[in-house]
Every structure is written in C-alpha cells, then in structure tokens.
Amino acid sequence: MPRLLFFRHEAVRAVLCALASAALVLYFGAPYWRDHPVHGAVASLACGGFAASGALLATGGRRRRLTGWLLLAAAFCWPLAWLVSRDSGLGPSISFFGLYGFFVLFGTAILSYPAGRLRGRADWAWVIAAAITLVGGEVVFQIFTEPEWAGLPPTVTWPSGPPIRAVWDVGTRLQAAGQIVLALWFAGLLWRRSRWLSNLDRRIAIPVQVTAAALGLIPSIQAAVDPSTWTDLEQLQSFYFTEGVIALVVAVALVSGALRDRWWELSAPHRVVRITSSGTSVATVRIALADALRDGSLRLYFWAPSEDGWVDVRGRPALPGHTTAVEGDDERWRIAISGGQHPLAIVDVDGSLRRRPLLVDAVLRAGGQALLTAQLQAAASANLAQILAARARLEEKRLAERQRLEQELHDGAQRRLGDLARRLEGLTGDASDPAVGSVAGECRDEVLATVGELDALAHGLLPAALREKGLHGALAAVAARLGLTVRLLVVPGRYPAAIEATLYFAVCEGLTNVAKYAPGASVRVEVTLADHWLRAVVVDDGPGGAHPKPGGGLAGIERRARVLSGRATVESRPGAGTRLAVALPLDTALVAS
C-alpha cells in the first residue's frame, strides 16, 4: 500500500509539472495560437508530456534522476521558444536560446536514458559540440545581425553590435550543416547505445531512441532544405509546429516507457510468486526469476552440504567457494543469499541490473521461499549424482579388472598353452611309436581347443578391437564374424571406456539374437550422440516376438544400462521385427537433475 501511495504522489507531481509547462506554452505563444489553435494544442500537449515524463523519471529512483531533471529543464525551455510570437521586447531574442537550449538538454537527457548517466567521451563530446554550435552560434548571430534578417519586426530588443551581413549569410549555412552533423551524430550514438541495453531496458528505451532520433533529423533536414525557415516568421512558427508534432510522439514514448517501467517494478515480485505457486522445481524457480528480471542469462547456484560447496541446477559442483561466487567483473552481478546459519544460493545476473537494486531485491525477496525449496532439491540432486557417480566408478573398476584378466590370460595361460601345443606338435611328428604320436596329437588338439576357449573368454571380457578402433571398428568386426547384412552408422569419437563397453555388449547381444533367430534378416545399427546422451539402436526385420527373460541376455543389457544410470528397451511384436534401444548419459548429473 505505501508503494501505491508513493506511485500516486509521483503521478500528482507529474500532472502538476505538465500543467505548468503547458500553461507557459499557451501564454508565451498566445499571439500565434489565436489564429492557430490546433498548433497550440499540439505544442502544449508535447511540452506537458516532456514535463510529465521528466517528473516521473526525476522521482523514480537514483538512476533516472539525471534524465528526469534534464527533461524537466528541457520542458520549461520549450515554452521560451514560443516567445518568438511576440513583436516587441526581449522575447524573440530569448526564444532562440530557449529553442537551442531545449535541444541541448533534450539530447543530453536521451543520451543518459535509461542508465541515468552519459556513457563515455563520445556522449560528452556531443553535448559540448551541441552547446557550442547551437547556443554559441546563436550568440554570434545576435551580436552581428539585425532582427529583420531573421524575419522579426524592428521593434524587438536585440543585442547591440555591428551588423555584418556576411556573418548572417555564411553563419546560417554553417549552422544548418552543423545541425545535420549533430543530428546524424546523435542518431549514431543512440544506435550504439541500443546494442548495450539489457532486455529489461530495451523494451522501454528503443521507442524513445527511435523517436528522439527522428526529432533531431527531420527538423534539421527541413531547415537545411528550406533556408527561408529562419527568415520568415510564419514559416519559423510552422517549423516549430513540426517539431512539436514529433516531440509529442517522443513525449508519449517517454511517458508510456516510464509508466511501464514503474509498473514492471511493482508487478515483478508478484510474477515470481504466481509462477512459483504452480510448482517449485529448480527449473521453475530459475524461469520465474529470469522472467521477472528480464534476464535470460540468469544462473543459479545452491549450497550443497554434502559437497561442502556450490552446485548448479543439475547438482554438479560449480563454484569453488563463496568468495569466488560473489566477486566478479562488471558484466555479471553475483548476489549471495543467506539461509540463516548456512549459505542458501547465489543468483548470477547481468551486470546492468546493478542499476536496479530495488527491483532485484524485491524479486529475490518474493522468491525467497521458492529458492529455499529449490536449494533442497539441488542438494538432493547432488547426493543422487554422488551415488550415480559411485556406481559409474564401480563399473569402471569392473571394466579395468576385465582388462587386467584379459591381459593376464593373453600373456600367461594362453602363451604357455601355445608353447605346449607347439611342443606336442613336434612330438607328434618325431615319435617312433605310433601310439605315442596319436596320444600326443590328441593332447595337442585338446590344448588348442583350450587356447581357443580362453581366447573366446578373453574376447568376451573386452575385445581388443574396441580398445584400438572404437565402437565402429569393433561392431563392424562383430557383424562380419556373424555373417549378417548390417547397415552400420556410428557417430565418430571416443567415449568413456565403461560407456563404450556397455554399448558394445548390448549391440553384440542384439546382433547375436538376430544371427540365432533371424539369420536372413537385414539389420540396421545406429549409434548417435544428442544432449550428452549416447544412444544405440539395433533394428531388424525378422519375425519378432523377442522379450527379456530373467537371467537372459536382454535382461542383462537392461541391468548393465541401469548401473550407468541409463536405460534399455526392447520392442518386438510378432511379425514386426525387433528394436533394441540403449541410452547412456555421458554425465550422471543429467539423471540426478
């Protein structure tokens, strides 16, 4: 309720400033408005709009204050320009300074919008150049010219000085060219600034920048094309009206932008509450905060007691410590949120939101309970990720043990049995007793059969082709050995040994079943990588009807896939072939989250 009352007071101040500025326009330009009431209405609306937007911005927070006061000053300079309608006194002389003062103040305000400050030397250079060209040039004009040259009656009060016609002739052309240069320069600065705007600022600043650039370019080009604008009072007043029409559009963009910006600041916390009320998952909380702050790059980190450190939304260790998370460069703003005795979360947002501390604080307060729930979920995901990682490490140890056994069989028993077989071969040929040679031959055959069995056992533990050639080479060798027609598509690359071995044995089981039950079927094997998941599919056009049996090969595939946090499915309708699919995550945190 206090915020709404404050907003209402801001509106009252804006209305009062708008009425005062509009009244001055009507008063100073009264001689012209009598014959052109529509022009008077447009000019008063435009000036009132500038004053209202300036008042809203000046009282809307520290970052808007400079822009607001500059717009207010410009809004009260604009009425002075209509003193040109007076036919005596200092009014016409002051009117030109009011006009150029309006453009300098207005341009400076727009360059500082919406950040509330000028950005770099280029902005300051434009402000200085505009003040010298417009205001300084007018001082020179009024000292060395006559009022009649500007289309004014001789009864007006004009600064005294020696009139020099050449100053007027050359000066008007130089000033027209200078105004076009300033307008183009101004438009270029606005275009450059638009690329740096955050998403939150872009929606309110772009309409203002486009209309402001038009306000600078169109009158400058019009005055350059028709030099009589500065020598004919009627045309000069019509020129002011054109500026007023464009200024009215700028004022509407400023007022609507200021109101929408203020409304967003008031409604953003409620948006967080509304989005998180439907569910408080980690993803929902991040979406709610990113939507309220209009920051698609927002990242969340949560404190995980089991890790004694920070984890990301998937439960993976992310940041080394609290200090690293809070200290950052100007492009990012990392906000630490405490949960009492322990840290709760870190919200990493775009650095431009530093200029909106009240909005960020209100949004984070509104999402405090949701962040607490999300932190518990992230901590649970971290615990689950540890369990899954431990299972994966166990599988890797089992695989390493298989490799060791294979190497020992190859280097030990197989080699010694091979030597024994060669000796028996020699004994078979050299034995003088046929009975001895026959027994030696039988022993040799038994030894060779044993070597073959050991070789098959070692091959079943982990084939050498898988280690040396990867999945594609190993699977191609299996297909050739089984005599199947296989269309093999395997994504290139090497992957963790446990992942490759599990996929290899799963595909081998599928191909073995095809060779056993549908030897004439055509087979398609695909191994793909997407979203950090490695997937293998074995599809045949055989008779189908396969289903996992307890203790069978297909059931073993499912069991081994679960060990690595993956999944395996078999689809085999009678007469429709069989489809075996295995998916394994390359990162167990994907499953934990």
Side-chain angles (χ1 to χ4, degrees), residues 256-275:
S256 63
L259 291 175
R260 284 188 295 126
D261 195 36
R262 296 291 291 129
W263 176 252
W264 185 266
E265 289 188 347
L266 294 173
S267 63
H270 300 286
R271 295 174 65 87
V272 175
V273 174
R274 186 176 70 253
I275 294 175

Side-chain angles (χ1 to χ4, degrees), residues 84-101:
V84 74
S85 303
R86 308 284 175 160
D87 56 5
S88 62
L90 280 173
S93 175
I94 295 173
S95 69
F96 291 100
F97 290 103
L99 173 66
Y100 293 134

Side-chain angles (χ1 to χ4, degrees), residues 361-583:
D361 181 68
V363 167
L364 295 183
R365 286 180 182 274
Q369 188 61 40
L371 282 171
L372 178 59
T373 304
Q375 187 263 344
L376 296 175
Q377 294 181 5
S381 295
N383 292 335
L384 180 57
Q386 285 185 340
I387 296 173
L388 296 177
R391 289 171 55 181
R393 288 193 297 271
L394 179 60
E395 182 64 19
E396 290 175 357
K397 289 182 179 179
R398 291 174 56 186
L399 181 62
E401 183 65 18
R402 286 187 174 199
Q403 293 175 334
R404 186 186 64 79
L405 289 175
E406 179 200 3
Q407 193 66 32
E408 287 184 357
L409 286 173
H410 181 272
D411 296 341
Q414 283 182 281
R415 187 179 62 184
R416 288 194 295 271
L417 288 174
D419 293 341
L420 179 58
R422 285 190 292 274
R423 291 179 182 178
L424 289 172
E425 178 69 26
L427 183 60
T428 301
D430 296 340
S432 57
D433 187 349
V436 174
S438 176
V439 172
E442 292 177 0
C443 292
R444 179 204 60 195
D445 293 339
E446 288 293 331
V447 170
L448 290 176
T450 303
V451 170
E453 291 176 359
L454 287 176
D455 184 64
L457 177 61
H459 184 79
L461 289 174
L462 190 68
L466 181 61
R467 293 198 310 270
E468 298 169 0
K469 301 179 181 179
L471 281 171
H472 189 280
L475 293 177
V478 171
R481 187 171 65 250
L482 294 175
L484 296 174
T485 303
V486 178
R487 185 159 64 93
L488 186 62
L489 299 174
V490 179
V491 62
R494 298 305 302 265
Y495 305 96
I499 299 290
E500 286 188 342
T502 300
L503 277 185
Y504 170 80
F505 288 120
V507 174
C508 285
E509 181 65 27
L511 293 177
T512 301
N513 286 341
V514 175
K516 184 183 298 185
Y517 300 110
S522 60
V523 188
R524 175 171 55 89
V525 176
E526 292 183 1
V527 179
T528 59
L529 176 65
D531 299 328
H532 300 284
W533 282 76
L534 195 63
R535 294 176 170 85
V537 178
V538 181
V539 181
D540 67 73
D541 58 0
H547 59 276
K549 299 177 181 179
L554 295 178
I557 292 174
E558 295 178 348
R559 184 175 60 255
R560 295 189 64 169
R562 286 197 301 270
V563 169
L564 294 178
S565 308
R567 53 182 178 268
T569 58
V570 178
E571 300 175 6
S572 184
R573 296 193 304 273
T578 302
R579 183 180 187 275
L580 169 65
V582 181

Side-chain angles (χ1 to χ4, degrees), residues 120-130 182 185:
R121 296 179 179 178
D123 290 356
W124 282 105
W126 184 91
V127 173
I128 295 172
L182 286 173
W185 187 0

Side-chain angles (χ1 to χ4, degrees), residues 183-496:
L184 292 173
W185 187 0
F186 181 67
L189 291 175
L190 293 181
W191 176 79
R192 186 186 67 167
R193 180 176 286 268
S194 67
R195 297 184 301 162
W196 298 334
L197 293 174
S198 65
N199 291 333
L200 198 60
D201 290 334
R202 186 173 289 112
R203 62 191 182 88
I204 63 171
I206 293 298
V208 173
Q209 291 179 340
V210 171
T211 53
L215 180 58
L217 285 170
I218 294 176
S220 300
I221 295 174
Q222 180 183 351
V225 171
D226 186 8
S228 63
T229 300
W230 304 107
T231 59
D232 185 276
L233 182 58
E234 188 69 23
Q235 288 195 27
L236 180 61
Q237 291 169 328
S238 178
F239 172 73
Y240 284 2
F241 172 72
T242 302
E243 291 180 331
V245 172
I246 303 173
L248 178 59
V249 179
V250 179
V252 170
L254 282 166
V255 172
S256 63
L259 291 175
R260 284 188 295 126
D261 195 36
R262 296 291 291 129
W263 176 252
W264 185 266
E265 289 188 347
L266 294 173
S267 63
H270 300 286
R271 295 174 65 87
V272 175
V273 174
R274 186 176 70 253
I275 294 175
T276 55
S277 62
S278 60
T280 52
S281 67
V282 175
T284 303
V285 173
R286 185 204 166 277
I287 290 172
L289 296 179
D291 178 74
L293 297 175
R294 281 288 190 265
D295 181 11
S297 66
L298 182 144
R299 295 190 291 267
L300 290 177
Y301 303 99
F302 298 97
W303 180 259
S306 62
E307 295 281 348
D308 194 27
W310 300 98
V311 297
D312 62 11
V313 294
R314 292 177 175 174
R316 299 177 300 188
L319 296 175
H322 183 276
T323 302
T324 304
V326 176
E327 295 177 358
D329 52 35
D330 293 337
E331 295 183 358
R332 305 297 302 174
W333 184 20
R334 296 180 178 91
I335 308 162
I337 301 175
S338 175
Q341 297 180 349
H342 302 285
L344 176 62
I346 289 176
V347 184
D348 186 342
V349 297
D350 188 87
S352 62
L353 288 170
R354 293 179 187 273
R355 299 190 294 269
R356 293 175 175 264
L358 296 179
L359 171 64
V360 174
D361 181 68
V363 167
L364 295 183
R365 286 180 182 274
Q369 188 61 40
L371 282 171
L372 178 59
T373 304
Q375 187 263 344
L376 296 175
Q377 294 181 5
S381 295
N383 292 335
L384 180 57
Q386 285 185 340
I387 296 173
L388 296 177
R391 289 171 55 181
R393 288 193 297 271
L394 179 60
E395 182 64 19
E396 290 175 357
K397 289 182 179 179
R398 291 174 56 186
L399 181 62
E401 183 65 18
R402 286 187 174 199
Q403 293 175 334
R404 186 186 64 79
L405 289 175
E406 179 200 3
Q407 193 66 32
E408 287 184 357
L409 286 173
H410 181 272
D411 296 341
Q414 283 182 281
R415 187 179 62 184
R416 288 194 295 271
L417 288 174
D419 293 341
L420 179 58
R422 285 190 292 274
R423 291 179 182 178
L424 289 172
E425 178 69 26
L427 183 60
T428 301
D430 296 340
S432 57
D433 187 349
V436 174
S438 176
V439 172
E442 292 177 0
C443 292
R444 179 204 60 195
D445 293 339
E446 288 293 331
V447 170
L448 290 176
T450 303
V451 170
E453 291 176 359
L454 287 176
D455 184 64
L457 177 61
H459 184 79
L461 289 174
L462 190 68
L466 181 61
R467 293 198 310 270
E468 298 169 0
K469 301 179 181 179
L471 281 171
H472 189 280
L475 293 177
V478 171
R481 187 171 65 250
L482 294 175
L484 296 174
T485 303
V486 178
R487 185 159 64 93
L488 186 62
L489 299 174
V490 179
V491 62
R494 298 305 302 265
Y495 305 96

